[in-house]
Amino acid sequence: MMQKRKAAIGGALESLFKFFALLCVSIAMLTLICLLVNIIADGFPRLTWQFFTGFPSRFPEKAGAAPAIAGSFYLIVLTALITLPMGIGAAIYLEEYAPNNKLTRFIELNIANLAGVPSIIFGLLGLQIFVRWAGFGRSLLAGALTMAILVLPIIVLASREALRTVPPSIRDASLALGATKWQTTWAQVLPLAFPGILTGCILAFSRALGETAPLVTLGALTYVPFLPTGPFSAFTVLPIQAFNWTSRPQAAFQHNAAAAILVLLAILLTLNSVAVWLRNRCQGKLRL
């Protein structure tokens, strides 16, 4: 009798937990849908060719986001060029070559802690080091270096996790056949870990693309009426441009901000979709 009563209580608690879990998911999804519907209703009519090719203006109907789109593109490209060799190289060293001692554990602990630091702290660090000490000013290079130190811990952690998924037997078999440590890492380990590394890198760059606080702290301009011409050129990005438009009192600028958010969401969803597609494609080739 007691067992039946305990089973009945357990079943009721499980049903109650499922109900509250479903309620939480429903509230979150409903909130997200309402936000998306509101943004699409306000911003979709502004997605014209003039919006993509135009420059900022004090007239909302003439304002465009070309400098912000170009700045976001150049910022991500520069960030990728800086972080990919450093992040993947650091992950390979820590996972394949570094000895298990106090120094290595200290480095691993700090990398894990850096991945959880608020992004605005990286903005303050970039302001002091790259803008003031290095003398780069509020340039595209300073922004890319700041974003690089923001996403570098994420890339290192993601790459290490991908390397750990490779079975040790692959390494042992390669070494037993006479391959060197580097030949084993380059020809056997990296191809198997590549899908995970690629996915982690793209997701890290997606985060960098949507960050605003570090660039605002860095002093990135909110009004840039020209396209970037080089690494030392002034720049703006889509999140900052949207922030600038939302601070304007005219309702038409709010529609421009909604359009910029739609463009940013489309880019982020595209990057995430590319990450999933490349991962599945690489995994399919490895199975063959």
Side-chain angles (χ1 to χ4, degrees):
M1 192 68 180
M2 290 294 296
Q3 292 180 350
K4 292 183 179 179
R5 183 176 299 177
K6 288 181 179 180
I9 294 174
L13 291 176
E14 183 178 357
S15 300
L16 185 63
F17 176 76
K18 288 181 179 179
F19 171 76
F20 278 111
L22 182 61
L23 181 64
C24 293
V25 172
S26 301
I27 292 174
M29 292 301 297
L30 183 61
T31 304
L32 178 61
I33 291 172
C34 291
L35 289 174
L36 287 176
V37 169
N38 185 36
I39 290 173
I40 292 173
D42 291 341
F44 189 77
R46 285 290 294 121
L47 294 179
T48 61
W49 181 251
Q50 191 276 334
F51 180 81
F52 288 99
T53 59
F55 294 87
S57 172
R58 59 192 180 93
F59 301 103
E61 64 277 0
K62 296 181 179 180
I69 295 173
S72 297
F73 174 77
Y74 290 136
L75 181 70
I76 291 301
V77 170
L78 277 177
T79 303
L81 292 176
I82 296 169
T83 54
L84 284 178
M86 295 176 59
I88 298 176
I92 293 174
Y93 173 76
L94 291 173
E95 197 63 33
E96 302 293 332
Y97 292 94
N100 187 13
N101 53 28
K102 291 183 179 180
L103 178 60
T104 302
R105 290 193 292 271
F106 177 76
I107 295 174
E108 292 174 350
L109 177 63
N110 280 275
I111 292 175
N113 290 334
L114 284 174
V117 172
S119 59
I120 194 170
I121 303 299
F122 291 102
L124 294 172
L125 181 65
L127 176 65
Q128 185 64 34
I129 295 178
F130 304 125
V131 175
R132 295 176 178 171
W133 288 356
F136 294 150
R138 296 175 174 86
S139 64
L140 190 60
L141 180 60
L145 290 171
T146 302
M147 285 300 169
I149 61 175
L150 171 66
V151 302
L152 189 60
I154 303 174
I155 293 177
V156 173
L157 291 176
S159 300
R160 291 193 67 189
E161 290 298 326
L163 292 170
R164 287 172 185 169
T165 60
V166 180
S169 58
I170 300 293
R171 299 175 176 86
D172 296 339
S174 178
L175 294 173
L177 291 173
T180 63
K181 182 70 173 178
W182 170 245
Q183 289 172 336
T184 300
T185 302
W186 178 258
Q188 303 299 328
V189 177
L190 278 180
L192 293 174
F194 181 72
I197 294 175
L198 186 63
T199 302
C201 291
I202 293 179
L203 294 178
F205 296 144
S206 298
R207 178 190 173 183
L209 186 61
E211 285 288 351
T212 307
L215 298 178
V216 171
T217 308
L218 193 70
L221 302 178
T222 57
Y223 179 79
V224 178
F226 52 84
L227 297 177
T229 57
F232 294 98
S233 176
F235 75 104
T236 189
V237 291
L238 280 170
I240 292 181
Q241 186 64 71
F243 171 76
N244 182 31
W245 280 333
T246 54
S247 63
R248 302 291 184 88
Q250 297 94 327
F253 278 114
Q254 311 299 322
H255 297 168
N256 289 349
I261 293 172
L262 283 178
V263 174
L264 183 61
L265 284 175
I267 296 174
L268 293 176
L269 290 176
T270 302
L271 286 176
N272 293 340
S273 300
V274 169
V276 174
W277 178 77
L278 288 174
R279 182 188 61 192
N280 294 335
R281 182 178 175 85
C282 292
Q283 287 178 345
K285 288 184 176 181
L286 290 175
R287 293 192 189 100
L288 296 175

